[in-house]
Amino acid sequence: MVSTMLAVRRLAPRRVGAVINRNMGALRSGPSYWLVLLSGFFEPLLYLLSIGVGVGALVGELRLDSGRVVSYAVFVAPAMLAVSAMSGALAETTFNFFFKMKYQKTFEAILATPVRPMEIALGELSWALVRGSLYTGVFLVVMVALGLASAGWALLAFPATILVGLAFGAVGMAVSTLMRGWQDFDLLSTGQFALFLFSGTFSPVGDYPAVLEALVQATPLYHAVELVRGVVLGELAAGLLVHVAYLAVMTVAGLLFAARRLERLLCP
Amino acid sequence: MFQLVSDQPLILARGLAKRFGDFTAVDGIDVSVAPGEAFGFLGPNGAGKSSTMRMISCVSLPTSGELRIFGMDPAVDGSAIRARLGVCPQLDNLDPDLSVRENLTTYARYFGLSRAEARRRADELLEFARLTEKAGSRVEPLSGGMKRRLTIARAMVNDPELVLLDEPTTGLDPQARHLLWERLFRLKQQGTTLVLTTHYMDEAEQLCDRLVVMDGGRIVAEGSPRALIETYSTAEVVELRFGQIRPADIVGKLEGIGERADPLPDRVLLYTADGDAAVAEVTRRGLQPSSVLVRRSTLEDVFLHLTGRTLVD
């Protein structure tokens, strides 16, 4: 614990900035990266349109726990926003991070400089957040334009999506340091898809059997969805702080674990 | 903490060891490198050179023993030490997502240089590495020699006091090697301390003021190239070939000529103080070699004598 605190005090924002700077340079230099960036944005948007609006026409309206009645699309949209924040951050900290770590030897080259493993982790996470925020920002604009959220609550929901991005980005990075090869990414995307389907995204968790409900409440996307939905629908309650705490713990634990693993893998 | 002592060694290792589980890569070595020196680690593959270099570059902590770089302990001040080092790794790890020029500017930022400084430094180094015309190119289409020069240029970006080069010219063609040596020689003349590993004897003789020969994780010899030759070899070497006759069969008849005879698959090496006298004696004994070559002893003779002829993979 003491050593962790010492390590945090020696971190240099300038070096974290240099790691972000490297990723910006890579972004500028190739059109392929832009394409990947763009495709990540459309997925949640397509789900919103097909399920939120399409299936929503069959479902009709939904009564929330608070007793308020909303259209199905209004219920699904914040969940898709949370999913978008999650996948934006994960895309960067899993696939790209792993490639830079394992094959491109990018981090190996960086670690020969004064930059420390934790500074790499922070830089990579910040960059993931820039990418994730790009998705969520545009998504929020679409939501407001479609009348699925008010502008005021949408603005307030933005920081909530940043927290979601931080949490998933940090944990994604930690998981990437454990990956043996590309085959492990299939497992990861299966897990990601399961979370996507069963985190109270498409139906209220209260409708699940009790055991399943408890299980879902232990998983991360549930907390992300509940937090973002609470803010977007303007239903602020003290209970939201539980979700904030859950995501904050994910962020810190993910970062510490990732930095430690980077050091063990690259500085044996 | 300001240290004025100029003759304090840049690198000081006492009983330095590195173990990975049961495997001992470096087995207790003592090394001291003075400012301005060009120092070499020689040895076959697996001798522990790279592990030693990784410890000196503060990306791998010693398992035991003492190590001080610039008088500092890598376990405590790794980041501060690395700020003053230039590292050229054995395998190029240039950034393929960036241009040649961006590889330098981006790297400079890791050392805390401002954007303007990074650009200025990149221009200087592109010139130094003769890569100015390739500044906008990606890294991937560059030749092996160009990549190597870029890696060395990148290692110079923070104006380091100590440059570490792990097998700098392995895999390069002769032209590329000579260009690289010339650049490294220039650094040396500017007073930069160089530490390199190599298994090319000519490279060690060209660049190193002093070197150690490593084998099996230990240091088996130390000195200047000339001193090592004087200690572990003779002044001259006679290379004799005997056509169809196997060298191993003829070596018995050469007994007493020179200090020792070493049969290789295709020739016999005679180590002697006086090559011409040895050749005269060979002829006097009625042996008729198909070819005779008298040459000066090289570091290669020392190296093979010390580390044996067994192939190490």
Side-chain angles (χ1 to χ4, degrees):
Chain A
M1 196 61 206
V2 176
S3 67
T4 307
M5 278 159 63
L6 265 176
V8 169
R9 242 196 304 167
R10 295 172 71 171
L11 296 175
R14 195 168 201 180
R15 296 199 284 261
V16 175
V19 175
I20 302 172
N21 176 63
R22 183 258 158 216
N23 289 325
M24 279 169 61
L27 176 69
R28 276 197 307 266
S29 73
S32 58
Y33 195 90
W34 283 102
L35 219 66
V36 174
L37 212 69
L38 212 63
S39 68
F41 166 71
F42 280 108
E43 204 175 281
L45 188 65
L46 292 177
Y47 275 109
L48 174 67
L49 294 177
S50 69
I51 296 179
V53 180
V55 179
L58 303 174
V59 177
E61 293 187 324
L62 208 88
R63 183 181 295 275
L64 301 175
D65 287 344
S66 62
R68 194 168 134 202
V69 174
V70 296
S71 81
Y72 185 65
V74 167
F75 175 80
V76 169
M80 291 304 106
L81 177 62
V83 166
S84 154
M86 169 183 81
S87 18
L90 278 183
E92 202 60 47
T93 59
T94 56
F95 219 71
N96 290 355
F97 181 90
F98 183 73
F99 190 69
K100 282 184 271 191
M101 177 183 79
K102 182 122 178 173
Y103 296 102
Q104 209 161 285
K105 309 284 177 201
T106 311
F107 301 150
E108 207 176 274
I110 297 178
L111 286 173
T113 74
V115 178
R116 300 165 201 272
M118 182 48 113
E119 288 161 345
I120 292 184
L122 282 170
E124 288 295 315
L125 184 58
S126 310
W127 177 244
L129 214 62
V130 171
R131 176 171 174 178
S133 302
L134 215 73
Y135 291 167
T136 53
V138 177
F139 200 88
L140 275 165
V141 170
V142 172
M143 277 170 69
V144 173
L146 292 177
L148 298 172
S150 78
W153 290 120
L155 215 59
L156 207 63
F158 190 62
T161 63
I162 287 183
L163 180 61
V164 173
L166 277 175
F168 280 96
V171 168
M173 200 153 56
V175 171
S176 298
T177 61
L178 297 171
M179 296 275 169
R180 293 156 299 179
W182 296 116
Q183 72 279 4
D184 287 345
F185 279 90
D186 288 341
L187 269 170
L188 185 74
S189 48
T190 308
Q192 205 179 327
F193 194 61
L195 286 183
F196 170 66
L197 291 177
F198 298 106
S199 296
T201 28
F202 297 109
S203 60
V205 178
D207 295 352
Y208 293 176
V211 182
L212 207 61
E213 185 183 346
L215 184 73
V216 168
Q217 282 173 351
T219 60
L221 187 59
Y222 164 77
H223 294 278
V225 169
E226 289 299 306
L227 173 66
V228 172
R229 186 178 281 145
V231 178
V232 171
L233 298 181
E235 305 203 330
L236 300 184
L240 291 187
L241 289 177
V242 175
H243 307 310
V244 170
Y246 187 104
L247 297 170
V249 169
M250 271 176 80
T251 308
V252 174
L255 268 173
L256 289 176
F257 186 85
R260 214 196 154 106
R261 283 283 301 168
L262 271 183
E263 184 151 18
R264 285 188 60 176
L265 287 174
L266 302 177
C267 307
Chain B
M1 292 266 286
F2 195 72
Q3 280 158 323
L4 268 174
V5 198
S6 62
D7 57 351
Q8 175 203 27
L10 285 196
I11 303 173
L12 185 70
R14 290 276 168 268
L16 184 65
K18 184 72 190 182
R19 283 180 285 277
F20 301 98
D22 289 340
F23 174 69
T24 302
V26 180
D27 196 5
I29 60 168
D30 297 342
V31 174
S32 168
V33 178
E37 220 180 348
F39 186 87
F41 286 98
L42 252 79
N45 293 332
K49 307 186 299 284
S50 290
S51 293
T52 304
M53 286 297 257
R54 286 178 59 80
M55 286 192 277
I56 297 173
S57 36
C58 301
V59 292
S60 169
L61 289 178
T63 313
S64 63
E66 190 193 349
L67 180 63
R68 293 288 177 275
I69 320 282
F70 308 121
M72 292 186 278
D73 182 354
V76 183
D77 295 310
S79 182
I81 297 170
R82 292 195 301 269
R84 296 160 67 181
L85 293 180
V87 178
C88 175
Q90 197 177 108
L91 299 171
D92 290 320
N93 53 18
L94 296 163
D95 201 323
D97 291 338
L98 304 173
S99 71
V100 167
R101 194 189 154 82
E102 283 171 329
N103 258 280
L104 298 175
T105 52
T106 305
Y107 215 70
R109 307 276 292 160
Y110 298 138
F111 288 93
L113 271 69
S114 71
R115 266 174 214 288
E117 278 176 301
R119 276 196 295 267
R120 189 186 53 78
R121 194 79 188 118
D123 287 338
E124 279 173 20
L125 288 170
L126 285 171
E127 197 66 41
F128 169 79
R130 305 226 322 227
L131 286 168
T132 307
E133 279 165 29
K134 295 282 178 188
S137 160
R138 288 296 196 109
V139 169
E140 193 219 344
L142 299 184
S143 72
M146 288 177 177
K147 281 183 188 163
R148 214 71 197 129
R149 271 165 15 228
L150 180 57
T151 306
I152 289 173
R154 192 184 67 174
M156 305 300 304
V157 87
N158 56 328
D159 208 359
E161 294 154 65
L162 171 61
V163 177
L164 306 170
L165 304 134
D166 199 354
E167 297 189 10
T169 64
T170 296
L172 299 185
D173 62 36
Q175 285 84 353
R177 290 181 75 201
H178 281 276
L179 178 57
L180 212 59
W181 284 346
E182 188 260 319
R183 298 288 120 156
L184 291 176
F185 190 72
R186 258 215 244 172
L187 286 181
K188 193 177 145 180
Q189 280 182 319
Q190 288 166 19
T192 309
T193 309
L194 300 179
V195 172
L196 59 108
T197 73
T198 184
H199 44 230
Y200 294 128
M201 299 311 117
D202 48 351
E203 185 160 289
E205 287 190 83
Q206 286 258 356
L207 293 173
C208 298
D209 301 322
R210 201 159 58 88
L211 50 92
V212 291
V213 180
M214 284 186 81
D215 197 22
R218 294 170 179 276
I219 289 175
V220 293
E222 176 175 358
S224 69
R226 193 93 309 265
L228 282 172
I229 292 167
E230 279 165 17
T231 314
Y232 294 98
S233 195
T234 49
E236 295 188 325
V237 178
V238 183
E239 298 197 8
L240 301 168
R241 288 170 199 267
F242 290 95
Q244 298 302 314
I245 309 165
R246 283 178 48 219
D249 298 333
I250 211 136
V251 79
K253 295 179 184 161
L254 296 168
E255 220 160 287
I257 312 178
E259 284 187 22
R260 63 194 160 87
D262 191 359
L264 302 188
D266 61 336
R267 68 207 133 122
V268 180
L269 301 186
L270 266 181
Y271 293 91
T272 172
D274 185 345
D276 292 334
V279 174
E281 177 62 16
V282 169
T283 323
R284 201 190 60 76
R285 290 189 188 182
L287 298 166
Q288 290 172 328
S290 57
S291 86
V292 176
L293 171 72
V294 179
R295 62 166 172 84
R296 287 178 62 193
S297 228
T298 67
L299 215 43
E300 187 142 352
D301 298 308
V302 175
F303 183 79
L304 292 175
H305 175 56
L306 287 170
T307 64
R309 295 194 184 276
T310 326
L311 183 66
V312 191
D313 290 309

